[in-house]
Amino acid sequence: DIPGLNLDAVPIKIVKDRLEQTRPTVGDILQSKLAVVSAASYLNNKRTSNNDSYHDVGGQPIKKDRVANHLKYTDLTDPAIRASFKNSLAIIDFINSELGNKGIKFAVMILPSKELVLQEWAKAGNIPLPDGYRIDNEEELVSAYSEHFSRTGINYINATPFVLEAFQADTQSARIFYPRGDGHPFVNGYQSYAKAAATLIRRINPQ
C-alpha cells in the first residue's frame, strides 16, 4: 500500500482502475510512469478543441484553447487537481522510500511545458505576451513540487533552463523546436532533457 494515496480523489479512471486491480510494486509504478501522472498532465494533453485560433508569441504559434486548458488543468485550487497533485507526491515519496531502503538513489526531473518555455523565452527577449496568455498556475505547481522535494530531501532538478537554452538556440538558427500542434519537442528538446538529467546525476554522484 502507498501511504497517503487517495484513490477516491483520482479523476483519471484508468489510473484508479489499475491501482485497484493490482497491488503495484515499485517496478510496476516506475514502468507505468505513475510517479509522474496527475490530472493536470493527463487532461492537458487531451485534444478537445474546436477552436483553431492561435496565439502568436514572438512568431511562435500556439493554440489559444491549449493555453486556456493548460491554465485550467494546472490549477491547484481545483479540488480534483489538488488531490491528484497530493497523490503524485504520495507515489513519489513511496518510491523514494522503497528505493532508499535498498540503497538506491532516487531523483526527479521536472520538465517544463511548451507553454512555459514560450513564456520564459518571450520574457527573456522582452517580447510582449498576447492577451490571455497565462501560465502562472504551472509556475505555482512547479514551485509546490520543488518545495516538497527540498523539504523531504528528494534529489531533483528543474529542466526549464536547459530547455530554454536549447529553444533559444534553435530559434536563432531558424530551426523548429516544437511541432505546431504538439507540446513534445523535436530532437534538440530531448537532448536538453538529457543534459538536465546528466547534471542531476553528476550532482548525486560527483565521482
Side-chain angles (χ1 to χ4, degrees):
D1 292 337
I2 300 177
L5 192 68
N6 181 5
L7 295 182
D8 291 332
V10 178
I12 307 174
K13 187 177 186 299
I14 187 171
V15 177
K16 183 176 179 180
D17 289 347
R18 176 174 173 78
L19 288 173
E20 288 180 338
Q21 292 169 7
T22 64
R23 295 177 62 84
T25 65
V26 170
D28 291 332
I29 294 171
L30 288 172
Q31 185 176 7
S32 61
K33 300 182 181 179
L34 291 181
V36 295
V37 76
S38 68
S41 61
Y42 177 81
L43 293 173
N44 182 58
N45 285 326
K46 290 179 68 178
R47 300 296 183 257
T48 58
S49 170
N50 57 10
N51 177 8
D52 291 330
S53 60
Y54 285 79
H55 284 302
D56 185 322
V57 182
Q60 301 289 330
I62 186 168
K63 281 189 174 182
K64 290 182 178 180
D65 68 331
R66 178 187 172 95
V67 175
N69 285 340
H70 187 75
L71 184 69
K72 179 179 180 181
Y73 296 128
T74 52
D75 182 5
L76 287 175
T77 65
D78 182 299
I81 303 299
R82 183 72 183 178
S84 293
F85 166 72
K86 290 182 177 179
N87 281 339
S88 71
L89 293 183
I91 294 170
I92 291 171
D93 288 346
F94 174 76
I95 294 173
N96 183 56
S97 176
E98 290 293 301
L99 293 180
N101 291 338
K102 295 176 172 59
I104 301 171
K105 294 179 180 179
F106 173 70
V108 175
M109 183 165 66
I110 301 173
L111 299 180
S113 68
K114 176 180 181 178
E115 292 81 358
L116 182 61
V117 171
L118 287 181
Q119 173 185 272
E120 296 307 298
W121 170 75
K123 286 182 177 179
N126 293 317
I127 299 170
L129 290 169
D131 291 340
Y133 196 101
R134 289 180 53 211
I135 310 298
D136 43 302
N137 284 350
E138 180 178 352
E139 294 173 321
E140 293 175 7
L141 186 63
V142 170
S143 178
Y145 273 116
S146 299
E147 187 278 331
H148 177 81
F149 298 150
S150 296
R151 179 168 49 82
T152 57
I154 293 177
N155 295 300
Y156 79 98
I157 193 167
N158 184 347
T160 301
F162 298 87
V163 181
L164 181 59
E165 181 181 12
F167 180 83
Q168 289 171 327
D170 271 14
T171 302
Q172 291 171 356
S173 302
R175 290 190 296 264
I176 299 175
F177 192 84
Y178 288 109
R180 181 179 177 88
D182 195 352
H184 298 89
F186 287 117
V187 61
N188 288 344
Y190 287 100
Q191 287 179 348
S192 71
Y193 297 169
K195 288 180 181 179
T199 300
L200 178 57
I201 291 171
R202 286 193 293 267
R203 184 184 302 166
I204 298 172
N205 294 302
Q207 299 87 350

